[in-house]
């Protein structure tokens, strides 16, 4: 079932779009079904859950932290995390840099941008992200690399609104890229809106329930 859904989904995605299988709350046996069909990119939103799955599973998996990350928990994932999608402050980046250095790694990060109309607690305004990208302190962080942006659209049936929100993010991404050649990833789109996200320039989608089924939590 899981491998079938994954295969179907992948056949619909353009080649340049990376699929992150969002496996939060799902058991390792489910993740292993995806892994055994050749999938290597998994997304989790809780530090402890991701760490324990990392310990149990094959070591060639790329782990994506897609949820809000608290500074005091960065140390648990710094040894192995592949991409942190939801960076929303310089203070958090500073801690990621510190822990990456301890592990002799460079950790790639995305800045989470607030694009949804609904009041979400997380994510930066586009202007704050621009200021962060220009900040001198960032230049001193040798063990983190900002490689793109992430955003979540409003949870609504209004496709036009979703499309407009993704467009705003794509526009900011294109603008930032003029000055920063390291930006290459635009992470937007989930089970309900990944098609709209791709139409609007996403090259990384984070899909959970459409692969693993509904979550009960
Ligand atoms: C849970 C989650 C997803 C996946 O959601 P689905 O609707 O199950 O595809 C994507 N991105 C983030 C940040 C999430 O927390």
């Amino acid at each position: 079932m899981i491998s079938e859904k994954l295969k179907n989904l992948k056949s619909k995605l353009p080649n340049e779009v990376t699929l992150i299988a969002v496996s939060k709350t799902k058991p390792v046996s489910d993740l292993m079904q995806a892994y055994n069909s050749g999938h290597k990119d998994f997304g989790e939103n809780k530090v402890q859950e991701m760490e324990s799955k990392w310990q149990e599973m094959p070591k060639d998996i790329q782990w994506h932290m897609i949820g809000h990350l608290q500074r005091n928990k960065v140390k648990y994932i710094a040894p192995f995390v592949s991409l942190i999608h939801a960076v929303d402050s310089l203070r958090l980046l500073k801690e990621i840099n510190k822990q990456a250095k301890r592990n002799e790694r460079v950790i790639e990060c995305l800045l989470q941008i607030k694009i949804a109309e609904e009041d979400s607690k997380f994510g930066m305004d586009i202007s704050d992200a621009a200021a962060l990208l220009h900040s001198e302190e960032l230049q001193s962080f040798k063990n983190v690399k900002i490689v793109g942006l992430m955003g979540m659209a409003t949870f609504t049936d209004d496709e036009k609104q979703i499309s407009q929100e993704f467009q705003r993010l794509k526009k900011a991404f294109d603008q930032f890229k003029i000055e920063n050649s390291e930006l290459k990833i635009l992470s937007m789109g989930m089970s309900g809106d990944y098609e709209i996200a791709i139409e609007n320039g996403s090259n990384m989608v984070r899909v959970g329930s459409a692969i693993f089924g509904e979550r009960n939590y």
Side-chain angles (χ1 to χ4, degrees):
M1 268 296 269
I2 288 170
S3 60
E4 280 301 304
K5 283 191 176 151
L6 201 50
K7 204 172 125 194
N8 273 333
L9 180 59
K10 278 185 181 170
S11 72
K12 285 192 267 175
L13 300 179
N15 277 333
E16 69 276 12
V17 175
T18 303
L19 171 64
I20 311 304
V22 175
S23 47
K24 61 193 187 195
T25 78
K26 299 295 177 181
V28 164
S29 56
D30 284 7
L31 280 71
M32 282 309 294
Q33 287 185 45
Y35 178 83
N36 287 331
S37 73
H39 197 77
K40 301 268 166 76
D41 285 280
F42 292 89
E44 293 283 337
N45 69 343
K46 298 253 160 58
V47 165
Q48 211 183 355
E49 184 176 350
M50 186 163 95
E51 193 196 3
S52 81
K53 285 173 174 170
W54 166 67
Q55 280 176 354
E56 274 188 63
M57 294 183 64
K59 293 297 170 283
D60 61 344
I61 288 173
Q62 295 192 284
W63 292 100
H64 295 252
M65 174 45 66
I66 62 169
H68 179 69
L69 181 58
Q70 287 174 302
R71 276 178 297 136
N72 61 356
K73 294 192 175 161
V74 174
K75 56 179 178 285
Y76 300 113
I77 60 169
F80 67 92
V81 68
S82 174
L83 181 64
I84 299 176
H85 287 233
V87 172
D88 61 0
S89 71
L90 195 64
R91 287 173 80 206
L92 176 58
L93 268 178
K94 189 174 181 170
E95 179 64 17
I96 296 169
N97 184 62
K98 180 175 150 191
Q99 299 300 337
K101 194 169 177 185
R102 280 200 178 146
N103 287 279
E104 300 177 333
R105 304 185 62 209
V106 174
I107 296 181
E108 297 198 328
C109 297
L110 306 179
L111 297 180
Q112 182 176 3
I113 309 293
K114 207 184 289 181
I115 51 170
E117 200 176 74
E118 64 206 354
D119 241 357
S120 88
K121 281 179 290 178
F122 306 121
M124 318 177 77
D125 291 328
I126 289 170
S127 58
D128 294 336
L132 191 155
L133 286 167
H134 286 134
S135 78
E136 262 177 51
E137 202 176 1
L138 180 65
Q139 309 310 317
S140 70
F141 296 163
K142 301 300 178 204
N143 295 75
V144 291
K145 192 164 144 190
I146 297 176
V147 295
L149 305 179
M150 183 272 240
M152 289 164 88
T154 302
F155 190 70
T156 171
D157 289 334
D158 185 347
E159 295 195 357
K160 196 163 153 222
Q161 184 183 346
I162 295 170
S163 187
Q164 278 168 354
E165 291 174 358
F166 285 146
Q167 267 167 44
R168 269 190 70 221
L169 187 54
K170 171 68 158 82
K171 201 172 143 205
F173 180 65
D174 287 343
Q175 227 137 41
F176 291 163
K177 268 205 307 196
I178 296 171
E179 291 179 30
N180 187 331
S181 60
E182 290 187 334
L183 299 181
K184 53 185 193 228
I185 297 175
L186 183 55
S187 169
M188 55 186 201
M190 326 195 335
S191 293
D193 59 17
Y194 70 89
E195 282 150 318
I196 306 174
I198 292 168
E199 277 168 25
N200 287 291
S202 167
N203 59 19
M204 184 172 277
V205 293
R206 310 174 310 271
V207 178
S209 46
I211 299 169
F212 296 105
E214 292 301 321
R215 291 174 294 272
N216 356 288
Y217 64 131

